[in-house]
Amino acid sequence: MGLERQWLHAVKLGFEHPESGDYVEYESTYPTTSRLPSRPSERLTDAVPGQQALRPATSADLPSVAEIYLAARDAAPMPPTVHPPDEVRAWVNTWDLTRCTVWLALEDGAPIGFAR
């Protein structure tokens, strides 16, 4: 994928410090190279060569999400799957994107990952 930095990013992170027990909180802005939408309804349509982007998934993206899910599951050191690939694809295609948010990670405009 050619990532040159950590891809996971939180705008706000808070937790209980393991040594002091105090609650600490950190805030930052999104990295400019992430090209994150400013609103969940905004969709990035312009692919920038060599750049990663995040955007909310649409129902048209669900087949790609299913393939990413299957590839990740196959690559993970986990027990064998219970459901065959066609059942997983059918399940992912039932996700109601009005009730859950799925973020799609893209590189050069092509899906490479997702978060639900």
Side-chain angles (χ1 to χ4, degrees):
M1 289 190 323
L3 297 177
E4 296 178 12
R5 63 171 174 76
Q6 183 177 354
W7 184 239
L8 180 64
H9 185 82
V11 173
K12 189 175 195 178
L13 177 66
F15 57 91
E16 191 175 294
H17 193 279
E19 291 180 8
S20 70
D22 295 335
Y23 181 78
V24 293
E25 191 170 272
Y26 301 93
E27 290 187 48
S28 70
T29 59
Y30 285 112
T32 56
T33 56
S34 294
R35 294 189 35 79
L36 291 170
S38 58
R39 299 177 311 278
S41 61
E42 183 179 347
R43 182 182 168 105
L44 292 174
T45 56
D46 55 331
V48 177
Q51 186 160 357
Q52 296 84 33
L54 291 175
R55 66 165 171 78
T58 66
S59 58
D61 296 316
L62 292 178
S64 294
V65 169
E67 295 308 315
I68 293 166
Y69 179 94
L70 289 167
R73 184 68 170 82
D74 286 345
M78 300 173 80
T81 60
V82 175
H83 301 282
D86 286 343
E87 286 183 16
V88 172
R89 290 180 186 101
W91 168 66
V92 171
N93 280 310
T94 66
W95 291 358
D96 181 355
L97 298 180
T98 65
R99 299 189 66 185
C100 69
T101 302
V102 176
W103 285 91
L104 194 63
L106 305 139
E107 184 170 61
D108 295 330
I112 58 169
F114 76 94
R116 176 175 184 218

